[in-house]
Amino acid sequence: MTMAAMERVQEQVFVPGESDARHLRSALGTFTTGVAVVTVMGADGPTGITVNSFASVSLTPPLVLWSIDRNSARHGLFTGAENSVIHILEADQDEVMRRFTRGGAGFAGLDWSLNSEGAPVIHNTLARFECARASLHDEGDHTILIARVLRAAHREGEPLCFSRGAFGRFARHAA
Ligand SMILES: Cc1cc2nc3c(=O)[nH]c(=O)nc-3n(C[C@H](O)[C@H](O)[C@H](O)COP(=O)(O)O)c2cc1C
């Protein structure tokens, strides 16, 4: 049997069901992504959320998207905000990533400032997209947020990667 045939034998085929989302989550987890923190200014101060659902949508006009769980305690805050900033994290910024997951420290002690639209900018991330809300789309248990990029910045550095539930670095193939 060839290697390719053996791999096919070990493949797990399943129909996504409501009772057990584990297999679907595992299959989706093979699609390796970067890690982003989306920030908005709320009545109680700045708020952020760590996401990996970020994607580009359009260059002209410049549009990006991400999605938020409709059960998130912060759903209303993010869908209600006119302006947001999407930050792309660098490989060694796990600590920033953890700040904006459940129970994280948030902005306490972090270096940040407000942009001209009044949205919080975290300093020294790998890239950022300063955005205005374009549209919202409720689909299943998430809301897709489409945002227009007003201003963007990026610098040299390695991205933080998320794959199969683990964090790491991008490794280039040998030339
Ligand atoms: C790598 C990673 C990616 C995540 N991506 C998303 C996402 O795309 N959308 C989302 O709503 N939550 C995402 N989360 C979960 C949120 O960061 C956060 O933990 C969750 O919203 C906490 O629930 P709460 O908002 O009710 O406090 C992600 C978490 C991690 C660690």
Side-chain angles (χ1 to χ4, degrees), residues 4-172:
M6 280 171 67
E7 278 165 17
R8 271 200 297 279
V9 169
Q10 286 162 11
E11 177 183 85
Q12 295 201 4
V13 180
F14 64 96
V15 176
E18 282 176 11
S19 59
D20 187 356
R22 255 183 324 158
H23 289 307
L24 181 58
R25 199 187 291 269
S26 299
L28 292 170
T30 64
F31 187 66
T32 300
T33 66
V35 181
V37 171
V38 187
T39 57
V40 296
M41 196 64 181
D44 299 330
T47 305
I49 183 169
T50 296
V51 303
N52 74 327
S53 52
F54 173 76
S56 60
V57 173
S58 163
L59 289 177
T60 314
L63 299 171
V64 295
L65 71 74
W66 64 285
S67 65
I68 186 164
D69 192 331
R70 291 172 76 179
N71 291 314
S72 165
R74 291 166 284 175
H75 180 271
L77 197 57
F78 283 95
T79 54
E82 286 290 334
N83 292 99
S84 62
V85 182
I86 302 171
H87 306 76
I88 310 301
L89 300 186
E90 194 169 23
D92 63 2
Q93 290 182 317
D94 311 48
E95 192 262 344
V96 180
M97 176 277 294
R98 271 192 298 276
R99 281 174 172 269
F100 299 104
T101 58
R102 185 167 293 155
F107 281 83
L110 194 62
D111 206 7
W112 66 279
S113 57
L114 290 176
N115 70 5
S116 41
E117 288 75 38
V121 171
I122 299 170
H123 297 174
N124 204 35
T125 58
L126 191 56
R128 71 171 179 274
F129 303 93
E130 300 181 35
C131 298
R133 188 179 53 194
S135 62
L136 301 174
H137 306 268
D138 285 336
E139 283 296 344
D141 55 16
H142 277 62
T143 301
I144 301 163
L145 298 95
I146 311 267
R148 189 161 50 86
V149 181
L150 304 175
R151 207 174 297 114
H154 68 117
R155 62 170 172 80
E156 287 299 307
E158 294 283 333
L160 179 61
C161 298
F162 183 64
S163 184
R164 292 191 189 260
F167 297 91
R169 288 168 184 268
F170 173 72
R172 277 183 192 80

